[in-house]
Amino acid sequence: MIPLLHELADQLAAHDDAALRRTRRVVDTPCGPEAIVDGRAMLAFASNDYLGLAGHPALADAASEGAKRWGVGAGASHLVSGHTSIHEELEQRLAAFVQMDAALAFCTGYMANIAVMPALLSRGDAIFADRLNHASLIDGAQLARADMHRYPHGDVDSLARLLEKTPTRRRMIVTDSVFSMDGDVAPLANLLELAERFDAWLLVDDAHGFGVLGPQGRGALAEAGLRSDRLILMGTLGKAAGVAGAFVAGAATLVEWLKQKSRAYIFTTAAPPLLAHTLMAALDLIEQGDALRAQLDALRRRLHDGVRLTRWRLLPSRTAIQPIVIGDNAETMQVARQLWDEGIWAPAIRPPTVPAGTARLRISLSAGHTEAHLDRLLEALHRCEAARA
Ligand SMILES: *Cc1c(COP(=O)(O)O)cnc(C)c1O
């Protein structure tokens, strides 16, 4: 083995020793609650397909229609020749949907998040980030080379103190709207007040709010009734929207600037136009999706009303993300394993993804789940906990 590979193999072995090696489950069915995973029939609480749209037949039809109308690839980046009328339509529709002046479509949420900060900030500027923000926001901040100040999760007073003692030219507050491992919602109105007081941008990553929160699923900012030219909204289209991609929305001048300056927008091939075509149909389903959101709500209430845990703790989340904190890493892995053996797929999340001592199951609910699915989960959880008492 060449020394370069030898070094990697040693480090992978160390990963194994620390029980940190991650493996991929192979799924053989469209995304949905009932799945064939590694050859077994499973009940899944693992995806971010909150409205159950990823495997929706109407969207599969829209995708094949889109392929017939547009072919498969865009052929080039947006600024060269890959920007089609359906991309254009999608951007306008997204902007109107989230009630912002303009929107710019990206291939993924990760790319949108590494695009925004470097386009607006540079050395000597400052980013103020919630400690539990998503990894892509951390990577975006690093690319911007601005000074990074992390504030304790959701702690508006600490953030205010940090802003007070950090005089810089340009500042940006950056937060998830719904935190991906906790399911709680950021204090968005307070954050916007601070952005106004300290003349800062407020970048909100609505990956887990778009499609789920707010009237017609318009997202966390619409739910909070917040409008401001300081707001930069990032929404993803591969979670509740069930397809793929992302967008950044805000003031028209901001969006034009991002179009001119975002490297992750400029130097990549445009997403296939068939996806934009499919997303137009997904937005129809989201807009008309009150029944789906009501189902999600009913499932969440059934979970909270029915849960009887004594040692583990279901966090008080009002979103589709419903974590059960077990604490110990090894115990969490054993519980996930036992659930798996019972045919239930609920991912175990360990440090460093979550703080030490708070290893958890990340249960995610979807409108595709039935009450019977939820009851199966509850019974299995209760059995698992009782077996460990
Ligand atoms: C999933 C996620 C992203 C990345 O979005 P993709 O479209 O999957 O690349 C960004 N931010 C948060 C909070 C996410 O959960």
Side-chain angles (χ1 to χ4, degrees):
M1 203 188 267
I2 60 171
L4 289 169
L5 281 178
H6 201 75
E7 193 183 319
L8 297 184
D10 281 352
Q11 288 178 27
L12 285 170
H15 256 59
D16 285 336
D17 293 343
L20 287 176
R21 172 92 72 125
R22 303 178 66 173
T23 55
R24 300 173 300 179
R25 301 281 191 194
V26 179
V27 179
D28 211 25
T29 38
C31 181
E34 291 175 11
I36 305 294
V37 189
D38 290 343
R40 293 190 45 188
M42 298 294 293
L43 174 57
F45 292 90
S47 82
N48 304 308
D49 178 26
Y50 303 129
L51 298 181
L53 300 185
H56 197 293
L59 296 191
D61 287 348
S64 54
E65 248 176 55
K68 287 193 188 108
R69 166 73 172 83
W70 293 103
V72 181
S77 63
H78 283 276
L79 291 173
V80 175
S81 68
H83 188 65
T84 64
S85 58
I86 192 70
H87 289 115
E88 185 76 15
E89 238 182 279
L90 176 65
E91 287 180 342
Q92 286 169 10
R93 176 136 181 219
L94 285 166
F97 184 63
V98 296
Q99 299 162 322
M100 297 273 199
D101 293 344
L104 192 64
F106 283 82
C107 293
T108 72
Y110 183 86
M111 291 172 76
N113 276 346
I114 63 167
V116 172
M117 286 172 260
L120 293 170
L121 305 169
S122 56
R123 255 184 242 286
D125 297 333
I127 291 169
F128 301 84
D130 189 291
R131 223 169 242 299
L132 296 190
N133 277 353
H134 190 259
S136 56
L137 290 170
I138 297 169
D139 294 0
Q142 281 184 349
L143 284 172
R145 300 189 175 91
D147 297 329
M148 176 74 148
H149 305 270
R150 298 176 84 185
Y151 58 90
H153 178 51
D155 187 341
V156 182
D157 295 334
S158 296
L159 171 58
R161 283 194 295 275
L162 269 177
L163 282 159
E164 245 152 42
K165 67 174 197 210
T166 317
T168 40
R169 251 180 331 147
R170 284 174 300 193
R171 318 177 218 215
M172 185 184 288
I173 301 168
V174 179
T175 188
D176 285 18
S177 61
V178 176
F179 288 85
S180 46
M181 295 303 148
D182 291 70
D184 59 332
V185 180
L188 295 169
N190 298 325
L191 294 178
L192 182 56
E193 259 174 48
L194 287 181
E196 261 149 22
R197 171 136 62 98
F198 291 95
D199 191 24
W201 294 105
L202 174 57
L203 169 59
V204 176
D205 176 339
D206 203 23
H208 303 282
F210 182 81
V212 176
L213 298 180
Q216 292 175 293
R218 292 171 198 274
L221 291 176
E223 180 186 62
L226 301 177
R227 309 283 290 262
S228 164
D229 278 350
R230 301 177 177 286
L231 280 169
I232 306 172
L233 170 65
M234 198 290 291
T236 64
L237 302 170
K239 289 173 178 159
V243 186
F247 67 93
V248 176
T253 305
L254 168 83
V255 168
E256 179 58 24
W257 178 261
L258 294 177
K259 197 185 294 169
Q260 303 300 323
K261 295 291 178 184
S262 300
R263 296 171 65 85
Y265 180 76
I266 298 167
F267 297 108
T268 194
T269 301
L274 76 89
L275 294 183
H277 184 95
T278 310
L279 280 161
M280 296 296 278
L283 284 169
D284 289 340
L285 294 177
I286 289 175
E287 264 178 42
Q288 301 154 15
D290 283 348
L292 300 175
R293 285 178 287 274
Q295 168 70 359
L296 203 47
D297 238 34
L299 291 163
R300 180 179 51 76
R301 263 181 279 118
R302 197 173 180 89
L303 176 63
H304 282 260
D305 292 348
V307 78
R308 303 268 176 276
L309 295 173
T310 55
R311 294 170 46 232
W312 308 337
R313 194 163 65 93
L314 175 65
L315 295 185
S317 156
R318 64 180 179 86
T319 65
I321 301 166
Q322 295 290 328
I324 295 178
V325 175
I326 292 174
D328 180 67
N329 291 355
E331 185 177 3
T332 307
M333 296 311 287
Q334 287 158 11
V335 172
R337 178 79 227 179
Q338 188 178 342
L339 288 172
W340 176 267
D341 290 341
E342 295 202 24
I344 291 177
W345 187 8
I349 311 286
R350 284 166 291 175
T353 307
V354 293
T358 70
R360 64 197 67 186
L361 299 174
R362 181 184 185 271
I363 308 284
S364 70
L365 300 176
S366 159
H369 287 120
T370 62
E371 302 190 338
H373 287 150
L374 198 87
D375 294 346
R376 252 185 80 192
L377 170 68
L378 278 169
E379 281 157 27
L381 280 170
H382 294 157
R383 260 198 311 279
C384 274
E385 200 197 40
R388 261 145 235 289

mmCIF file of all heavy atoms in Angstrom, residues 23-40:
data_model
loop_
_atom_site.group_PDB
_atom_site.id
_atom_site.type_symbol
_atom_site.label_atom_id
_atom_site.label_comp_id
_atom_site.label_asym_id
_atom_site.label_seq_id
_atom_site.Cartn_x
_atom_site.Cartn_y
_atom_site.Cartn_z
ATOM 1 N N THR A 23 -21.760 4.260 8.434
ATOM 2 C CA THR A 23 -22.025 3.467 7.240
ATOM 3 C C THR A 23 -23.355 3.916 6.657
ATOM 4 O O THR A 23 -24.168 4.537 7.336
ATOM 5 C CB THR A 23 -22.120 1.968 7.578
ATOM 6 O OG1 THR A 23 -23.102 1.814 8.603
ATOM 7 C CG2 THR A 23 -20.790 1.420 8.054
ATOM 8 N N ARG A 24 -23.549 3.619 5.394
ATOM 9 C CA ARG A 24 -24.783 4.025 4.733
ATOM 10 C C ARG A 24 -25.732 2.853 4.650
ATOM 11 O O ARG A 24 -25.325 1.765 4.271
ATOM 12 C CB ARG A 24 -24.454 4.545 3.324
ATOM 13 C CG ARG A 24 -23.524 5.723 3.363
ATOM 14 C CD ARG A 24 -23.063 6.128 1.997
ATOM 15 N NE ARG A 24 -22.334 5.050 1.323
ATOM 16 C CZ ARG A 24 -21.832 5.135 0.105
ATOM 17 N NH1 ARG A 24 -21.985 6.236 -0.594
ATOM 18 N NH2 ARG A 24 -21.191 4.123 -0.432
ATOM 19 N N ARG A 25 -26.960 3.062 5.034
ATOM 20 C CA ARG A 25 -27.996 2.058 4.805
ATOM 21 C C ARG A 25 -28.426 2.171 3.350
ATOM 22 O O ARG A 25 -28.600 3.291 2.842
ATOM 23 C CB ARG A 25 -29.215 2.361 5.686
ATOM 24 C CG ARG A 25 -28.914 2.372 7.169
ATOM 25 C CD ARG A 25 -28.844 0.976 7.693
ATOM 26 N NE ARG A 25 -28.810 0.934 9.150
ATOM 27 C CZ ARG A 25 -28.469 -0.162 9.820
ATOM 28 N NH1 ARG A 25 -28.136 -1.261 9.171
ATOM 29 N NH2 ARG A 25 -28.478 -0.151 11.132
ATOM 30 N N VAL A 26 -28.634 1.034 2.715
ATOM 31 C CA VAL A 26 -29.031 1.069 1.309
ATOM 32 C C VAL A 26 -30.544 0.867 1.209
ATOM 33 O O VAL A 26 -31.089 -0.145 1.638
ATOM 34 C CB VAL A 26 -28.275 -0.004 0.489
ATOM 35 C CG1 VAL A 26 -28.722 0.044 -0.963
ATOM 36 C CG2 VAL A 26 -26.773 0.237 0.603
ATOM 37 N N VAL A 27 -31.206 1.872 0.639
ATOM 38 C CA VAL A 27 -32.666 1.897 0.549
ATOM 39 C C VAL A 27 -33.068 1.477 -0.857
ATOM 40 O O VAL A 27 -32.480 1.933 -1.837
ATOM 41 C CB VAL A 27 -33.188 3.315 0.855
ATOM 42 C CG1 VAL A 27 -34.698 3.366 0.745
ATOM 43 C CG2 VAL A 27 -32.718 3.766 2.234
ATOM 44 N N ASP A 28 -34.077 0.633 -0.944
ATOM 45 C CA ASP A 28 -34.454 0.088 -2.250
ATOM 46 C C ASP A 28 -35.864 0.486 -2.664
ATOM 47 O O ASP A 28 -36.447 -0.135 -3.551
ATOM 48 C CB ASP A 28 -34.323 -1.446 -2.193
ATOM 49 C CG ASP A 28 -33.935 -2.021 -3.552
ATOM 50 O OD1 ASP A 28 -33.332 -1.270 -4.346
ATOM 51 O OD2 ASP A 28 -34.258 -3.194 -3.809
ATOM 52 N N THR A 29 -36.421 1.512 -2.020
ATOM 53 C CA THR A 29 -37.785 1.965 -2.303
ATOM 54 C C THR A 29 -37.757 3.495 -2.377
ATOM 55 O O THR A 29 -36.830 4.108 -1.860
ATOM 56 C CB THR A 29 -38.732 1.532 -1.165
ATOM 57 O OG1 THR A 29 -38.040 1.661 0.082
ATOM 58 C CG2 THR A 29 -39.178 0.091 -1.317
ATOM 59 N N PRO A 30 -38.773 4.112 -2.990
ATOM 60 C CA PRO A 30 -38.823 5.576 -2.947
ATOM 61 C C PRO A 30 -38.910 6.039 -1.491
ATOM 62 O O PRO A 30 -39.379 5.289 -0.633
ATOM 63 C CB PRO A 30 -40.122 5.918 -3.695
ATOM 64 C CG PRO A 30 -40.464 4.709 -4.486
ATOM 65 C CD PRO A 30 -39.911 3.540 -3.730
ATOM 66 N N CYS A 31 -38.458 7.270 -1.242
ATOM 67 C CA CYS A 31 -38.493 7.803 0.115
ATOM 68 C C CYS A 31 -39.927 7.755 0.658
ATOM 69 O O CYS A 31 -40.866 8.217 0.016
ATOM 70 C CB CYS A 31 -37.992 9.251 0.095
ATOM 71 S SG CYS A 31 -37.951 10.007 1.708
ATOM 72 N N GLY A 32 -40.108 7.165 1.834
ATOM 73 C CA GLY A 32 -41.433 7.061 2.444
ATOM 74 C C GLY A 32 -41.325 6.297 3.740
ATOM 75 O O GLY A 32 -40.279 5.707 4.027
ATOM 76 N N PRO A 33 -42.400 6.279 4.548
ATOM 77 C CA PRO A 33 -42.342 5.613 5.852
ATOM 78 C C PRO A 33 -42.063 4.115 5.754
ATOM 79 O O PRO A 33 -41.364 3.563 6.587
ATOM 80 C CB PRO A 33 -43.730 5.853 6.453
ATOM 81 C CG PRO A 33 -44.312 6.981 5.686
ATOM 82 C CD PRO A 33 -43.685 6.952 4.322
ATOM 83 N N GLU A 34 -42.646 3.451 4.745
ATOM 84 C CA GLU A 34 -42.429 2.015 4.627
ATOM 85 C C GLU A 34 -41.400 1.769 3.552
ATOM 86 O O GLU A 34 -41.634 2.048 2.381
ATOM 87 C CB GLU A 34 -43.765 1.311 4.341
ATOM 88 C CG GLU A 34 -44.673 1.380 5.571
ATOM 89 C CD GLU A 34 -46.062 0.811 5.358
ATOM 90 O OE1 GLU A 34 -46.294 0.152 4.320
ATOM 91 O OE2 GLU A 34 -46.923 1.032 6.239
ATOM 92 N N ALA A 35 -40.259 1.262 3.974
ATOM 93 C CA ALA A 35 -39.124 1.184 3.061
ATOM 94 C C ALA A 35 -38.453 -0.175 3.155
ATOM 95 O O ALA A 35 -38.534 -0.842 4.182
ATOM 96 C CB ALA A 35 -38.117 2.275 3.414
ATOM 97 N N ILE A 36 -37.802 -0.569 2.065
ATOM 98 C CA ILE A 36 -36.925 -1.738 2.110
ATOM 99 C C ILE A 36 -35.506 -1.206 2.305
ATOM 100 O O ILE A 36 -34.992 -0.469 1.461
ATOM 101 C CB ILE A 36 -36.993 -2.553 0.796
ATOM 102 C CG1 ILE A 36 -38.442 -2.960 0.471
ATOM 103 C CG2 ILE A 36 -36.088 -3.777 0.889
ATOM 104 C CD1 ILE A 36 -39.069 -3.930 1.433
ATOM 105 N N VAL A 37 -34.922 -1.541 3.431
ATOM 106 C CA VAL A 37 -33.613 -0.991 3.787
ATOM 107 C C VAL A 37 -32.672 -2.153 4.091
ATOM 108 O O VAL A 37 -32.987 -2.997 4.943
ATOM 109 C CB VAL A 37 -33.724 -0.082 5.024
ATOM 110 C CG1 VAL A 37 -32.406 0.648 5.251
ATOM 111 C CG2 VAL A 37 -34.862 0.909 4.871
ATOM 112 N N ASP A 38 -31.532 -2.180 3.399
ATOM 113 C CA ASP A 38 -30.596 -3.306 3.531
ATOM 114 C C ASP A 38 -31.361 -4.633 3.424
ATOM 115 O O ASP A 38 -31.109 -5.571 4.186
ATOM 116 C CB ASP A 38 -29.828 -3.224 4.861
ATOM 117 C CG ASP A 38 -28.833 -2.067 4.875
ATOM 118 O OD1 ASP A 38 -28.508 -1.554 3.783
ATOM 119 O OD2 ASP A 38 -28.397 -1.680 5.966
ATOM 120 N N GLY A 39 -32.341 -4.661 2.538
ATOM 121 C CA GLY A 39 -33.073 -5.891 2.259
ATOM 122 C C GLY A 39 -34.207 -6.198 3.234
ATOM 123 O O GLY A 39 -34.859 -7.231 3.104
ATOM 124 N N ARG A 40 -34.452 -5.303 4.220
ATOM 125 C CA ARG A 40 -35.492 -5.585 5.227
ATOM 126 C C ARG A 40 -36.629 -4.561 5.139
ATOM 127 O O ARG A 40 -36.385 -3.385 4.868
ATOM 128 C CB ARG A 40 -34.908 -5.465 6.631
ATOM 129 C CG ARG A 40 -33.880 -6.516 6.960
ATOM 130 C CD ARG A 40 -33.560 -6.459 8.440
ATOM 131 N NE ARG A 40 -34.786 -6.353 9.243
ATOM 132 C CZ ARG A 40 -34.806 -6.126 10.545
ATOM 133 N NH1 ARG A 40 -33.684 -5.971 11.202
ATOM 134 N NH2 ARG A 40 -35.954 -6.041 11.197
#
